[in-house]
Amino acid sequence: MKCRIGCGACCIAPSISSPIPGMPNGKPAGVRCVQLDDDNLCRLFGKPERPKVCGEFSADDYVCGETRDEALILLTSLEEDTHCG
């Protein structure tokens, strides 16, 4: 599966514990990454400062679903199911 251009769900729903330029302590779940532009595209895509976890994420039906809204629901559910604390 290829990413849906302009989706950005993977840059909003999950938490990211790695430092991100502009977010040195990472990103909480449900918070929009500061590197996500107005078109929901990553400003760091293809750049070395992009967190490794972001580069390793790959679109798949089980996390992306059929639509952006479904991706947000699926990724939020996965985040909640795997949250420690």
Side-chain angles (χ1 to χ4, degrees):
M1 175 179 187
K2 289 187 178 185
C3 285
R4 282 186 286 280
I5 301 298
C7 174
C10 60
C11 302
I12 299 169
S15 60
I16 298 174
S17 58
S18 311
I20 301 166
M23 298 180 107
N25 297 316
K27 182 194 91 55
V31 172
R32 184 180 179 85
C33 179
V34 298
Q35 296 300 331
L36 198 60
D37 71 14
D38 291 339
D39 293 320
N40 288 330
L41 300 174
C42 178
R43 291 183 184 98
L44 300 177
F45 191 84
K47 296 183 177 179
E49 57 270 24
R50 185 178 183 209
K52 183 178 179 183
V53 67
C54 299
E56 290 179 349
F57 179 83
S58 59
D60 201 314
D61 291 332
Y62 80 97
V63 292
C64 299
E66 301 276 328
T67 65
R68 178 183 189 272
D69 289 341
E70 191 175 353
L72 285 166
I73 291 167
L74 291 168
L75 287 165
T76 298
S77 178
L78 282 170
E79 177 70 28
E80 290 170 353
D81 290 348
T82 59
H83 179 72
C84 297

